[in-house]
Amino acid sequence: MGLKEKILTKSIYAFHLSSGSCNNCDIEILDCLTPRYDIERFGIVLVGSVKHADVLFCTGSANRLCIPRIKKLYEMMPKPGFVVAWGACGSSRGMFKDSYNTGLPLDEIIPVDLYIPGCPPKPEAVIAGLIKLTDKINGKIRR
Amino acid sequence: MLSRRITNGRGSRSCLVKDSSVTVTVEKPHVAVTDRRNGHRNLNRNQAERHRMHMKPLEYIFLFLIYPGFLFSATMGLLVGWVDRKVTARLQWRVGPPWYQNFIDVAKLLLYKETLIPKGASRAVFLGMPALCLSGATLASTIVLVVTGEPDKGFIGDIIVIAYLLMIPSLALMLGGFSSANPLASLGASREMKLMLSYELPFILSLIVPVIKSGGAIRLGDIIIKQQNSAPFITSASGAISFLVMLLCFQAKLGHIPFDMAEAETEIISGPAIDYSGRALGMFKLAKAVLVFAAPVFIMSLFLGGIRFNSDYILTGVLEYIMILVLMIVIKNTNPRIRIDQAMRFFWGPVSGLSLISVILAYLGH
C-alpha cells in the first residue's frame, strides 16, 4: 500500500447521483452522516459538485432518461474516481428488472466498483461496503 | 526589539513586499544610525545599499515561501481548518475527522486528481486565478505574521497594503467563477461581488479606529508597539465596538456561514468553485486555509496588541488566538445562511453605523 492509495482511501468525497430512486437510499446516505454513524470520521464528505468528487453514490434503477446523464456525470468526475452501486435497484434493477423503462442495469452503463445490496442498505452495511472499496483501491481485492 | 535589530545590522530598510508589484514608500530614519553603530562607518551609502540589495531577495523569498509565508501559514491553516471541522463536529454531537484530514484532502487534490477545464471556459483566467488567490493570501499572511513577530519590521502604509491584499482572494475567486462558463458559478461570483461591496465599508472604517487611537500610525508595527506600551485598544469603548465589527467583516471575508451565500453548498453548489477540480481546487482550499489562519492574527495585532513571543505573554497570546478562532467557529455553527440582500442591509445599516460611531468615539478619545 503506497502513499497514493493511502491518500485516496483516507479522503473520499462522495457525490450523490440519484437516477430514479424511491428516495429511500437517498435518506440512508444522509443517515450515514448523522451523529450516530458519522462517516466524516473516515474522511468521507458529501459534495455538491461532481467536479469535486472521488466516488459516485449511484442510487435508483437507472431509467431511460437518466442513462445519458449518468454517462455524462461519470465522464465529468475527475479521475481516479470510483462508482458505488447503492441498494437493490442500483445493483441489479431490483423489482424493476422487467420494466419498460429500465433497459440496462447500472453496471452495463458505467464501470461499477462496489455493490451495496439492501432495500435500502443499512448504514452499517454502507460502512462495511466502503471498507471493501478501500481494500479494492489498495489492491487487496481483485475483480 | 529595536536594539536587537541594531546589533544585527541589517538596517531598517524592511520593505517586505519589494519584490512584488506593490510600490512602497520606504522608511529610512535609523539606517544611518544602525550602520554607524555597527562600525560600518567606512562604508559609504552606495555600498551599503548594494550590500542590502544583494542580501534581501533571498531573505524575502525565504520569508514568503517558507517561514512565516507559504509553508508555515498553509500548515497552520490546515491545522486550524481541522479545529474548525472538529469543533463543528463536537457541536453537532459527532466525533469528527482526525487531525491530519485536511492535509490528506489537499494532498489528494494537489497530487493525484485530474484538473478538468470546462468547455467554453477561458483557460488562462480559469487556471491563473487559483494561483493569484493563493499568492495574495500568502503575501497578506506573510506581512501580518512578520510584523507580529517583530513589530519594528514592516513599512509605512503596510496596513493599507494588507487591506488591499485581503481583497485579492475574493477577487480571484470571483474572476475564476466568471471565467468558468457555468451559470451557478456566475451567480455565486456576482453574490461574492455584492458581499464585497457590502463588507468593505465597515471593514475600512473599523480599520481606521486603531490608526486614530495610535496617533495616526499607518504601520501595523507602530499600532502593536503602542498597544504593548499602554493598554490594548479592545479595552476602550471604540476599540471594543470596532473589534466586533471587524469580527463580522472577517466572517464575511472568509465566507463563513451567516455570509456564505456566495458558495452556498446546498443551494448553488459551492458557487464560483463549482467547476474547479484537482490542483486548482486544492489551491483555492490552501488559500482559504492561509486566510483562516491569518485572520485572527490580524485582528489580534489591531485590537489586542499582537502576540508577544516571550515566556510571560506567549500563553495568553495563544489563548486569545484560540478564543477568537472558536468564537468565529461558533458564530458559524449557530447561524443560518442569510440572503444577499439581507447581508447588504445588515452591513450598510447597523454594522456601518456602529463602526461610524466607533470612529467618532475614537476621535473624542474614548
Side-chain angles (χ1 to χ4, degrees):
Chain A
M1 178 161 135
L3 185 66
K4 180 177 178 182
E5 286 76 24
K6 203 161 198 168
I7 285 176
L8 284 180
T9 51
K10 295 267 173 172
S11 154
I12 294 178
Y13 284 13
F15 179 76
H16 172 197
L17 166 56
S18 168
S19 55
S21 86
C22 67
N23 212 19
N24 224 337
C25 293
D26 312 310
I27 299 284
E28 289 303 315
I29 290 180
L30 299 182
D31 227 13
C32 295
L33 302 168
T34 53
R36 187 168 183 119
Y37 300 105
D38 187 28
I39 54 174
E40 203 193 347
R41 282 177 296 159
F42 313 119
I44 301 168
V45 182
L46 210 56
V47 292
S49 165
V50 72
K51 294 274 177 80
H52 305 176
D54 305 310
V55 170
L56 290 183
F57 283 174
C58 296
T59 63
S61 54
N63 60 37
R64 242 170 241 210
L65 275 177
C66 284
I67 288 174
R69 289 165 177 82
I70 292 173
K71 283 182 187 162
K72 198 172 172 188
L73 279 170
Y74 179 72
E75 279 158 12
M76 277 164 80
M77 175 171 64
K79 306 292 173 297
F82 306 93
V83 179
V84 177
W86 189 292
C89 299
S91 307
S92 66
R93 288 179 286 172
M95 63 186 278
F96 304 104
K97 186 167 125 351
D98 299 321
S99 166
Y100 67 96
N101 199 21
T102 50
L104 286 171
L106 185 72
D107 52 4
E108 289 181 23
I109 304 169
I110 51 175
V112 172
D113 295 286
L114 175 74
Y115 303 87
I116 302 178
C119 185
K122 283 185 141 193
E124 288 93 339
V126 172
I127 293 171
L130 289 170
I131 287 168
K132 291 212 174 77
L133 180 68
T134 59
D135 283 348
K136 186 178 176 185
I137 297 172
N138 288 331
K140 285 187 197 157
I141 299 176
R142 295 263 161 67
R143 218 181 151 172
Chain B
M1 285 296 177
L2 194 65
S3 59
R4 196 166 86 215
R5 222 259 311 285
I6 283 170
T7 46
N8 69 20
R10 265 185 277 143
S12 74
R13 232 181 185 217
S14 31
C15 155
L16 271 176
V17 286
K18 197 117 191 265
D19 46 346
S20 81
S21 57
V22 185
T23 328
V24 168
T25 331
V26 175
E27 183 208 19
K28 273 188 193 170
H30 354 278
V31 173
V33 182
T34 315
D35 289 348
R36 244 175 264 141
R37 271 202 213 149
N38 272 319
H40 288 305
R41 213 173 277 126
N42 301 332
L43 282 177
N44 66 35
R45 202 169 195 97
N46 284 340
Q47 272 171 328
E49 197 98 335
R50 219 174 297 141
H51 183 64
R52 264 196 300 275
M53 293 323 277
H54 183 63
M55 290 301 290
K56 281 290 173 183
L58 268 181
E59 196 189 330
Y60 289 143
I61 288 169
F62 180 78
L63 283 178
F64 181 70
L65 285 182
I66 296 169
Y67 181 86
F70 177 68
L71 206 63
F72 177 74
S73 305
T75 312
M76 290 307 285
L78 292 176
L79 276 178
V80 163
W82 168 74
V83 172
D84 182 356
R85 283 173 81 170
K86 188 77 178 175
V87 171
T88 306
R90 291 314 293 160
L91 285 172
Q92 296 170 353
W93 216 249
R94 291 188 286 121
V95 176
W99 67 269
Y100 50 81
Q101 188 59 53
N102 281 330
F103 293 95
I104 293 187
D105 286 354
V106 167
K108 175 195 75 179
L109 289 171
L110 289 181
L111 299 177
Y112 300 121
K113 293 296 276 186
E114 213 180 356
T115 309
L116 301 170
I117 299 165
K119 202 169 144 191
S122 130
R123 197 188 159 91
V125 180
F126 186 78
L127 292 180
M129 282 308 129
L132 184 69
C133 184
L134 183 55
S135 51
T138 309
L139 200 52
S141 143
T142 310
I143 298 177
V144 169
L145 293 175
V146 166
V147 173
T148 305
E150 287 178 61
D152 52 335
K153 278 200 171 183
F155 46 88
I156 289 183
D158 55 1
I159 197 164
I160 302 169
V161 174
I162 292 168
Y164 275 107
L165 283 175
L166 284 174
M167 283 166 72
I168 287 183
S170 311
L171 281 173
L173 191 64
M174 228 161 72
L175 279 175
F178 279 132
S179 74
S180 63
N182 184 312
L184 290 179
S186 299
L187 196 62
S190 87
R191 283 186 191 182
E192 177 84 41
M193 180 159 50
K194 284 169 202 149
L195 191 64
M196 248 176 100
L197 287 178
S198 53
Y199 69 66
E200 279 302 325
L201 175 66
F203 177 72
I204 299 296
L205 280 176
S206 59
L207 203 60
I208 291 175
V209 171
V211 173
I212 296 170
K213 290 192 77 73
S214 57
I218 49 169
R219 269 188 61 218
L220 194 56
D222 288 345
I223 293 173
I224 294 174
I225 290 167
K226 169 86 182 173
Q227 291 181 83
Q228 288 181 349
N229 291 338
S230 56
F233 294 151
I234 195 173
T235 50
S236 63
S238 60
I241 295 173
S242 51
F243 171 76
L244 210 75
V245 171
M246 190 63 110
L247 212 60
L248 287 171
C249 290
F250 263 105
Q251 201 79 5
K253 240 182 208 312
L254 300 172
H256 278 180
I257 274 189
F259 313 109
D260 74 329
M261 62 292 279
E263 36 201 274
E265 278 279 332
T266 44
E267 185 194 350
I268 51 169
I269 316 172
S270 65
I274 181 171
D275 258 336
Y276 278 98
S277 60
R279 226 158 272 175
L281 183 65
M283 278 187 193
F284 273 135
K285 290 212 168 194
L286 273 180
K288 179 85 179 286
V290 168
L291 274 188
V292 169
F293 171 61
V297 180
F298 185 53
I299 295 178
M300 278 179 72
S301 55
L302 286 179
F303 297 105
L304 292 162
I307 301 175
R308 267 181 269 189
F309 291 95
N310 55 35
S311 52
D312 298 339
Y313 294 102
I314 183 89
L315 196 65
T316 42
V318 171
L319 279 180
E320 279 166 356
Y321 179 87
I322 293 173
M323 271 174 68
I324 293 178
L325 184 71
V326 172
L327 190 63
M328 287 169 102
I329 298 169
V330 170
I331 293 175
K332 179 180 160 185
N333 274 296
T334 47
N335 283 286
R337 184 188 314 132
I338 57 175
R339 285 197 316 267
I340 184 69
D341 61 319
Q342 289 170 327
M344 282 187 109
R345 207 167 296 139
F346 178 67
F347 276 116
W348 280 355
V351 176
S352 289
L354 264 181
S355 47
L356 210 60
I357 290 171
S358 73
V359 170
I360 293 166
L361 280 178
Y363 256 116
L364 299 177
H366 290 290

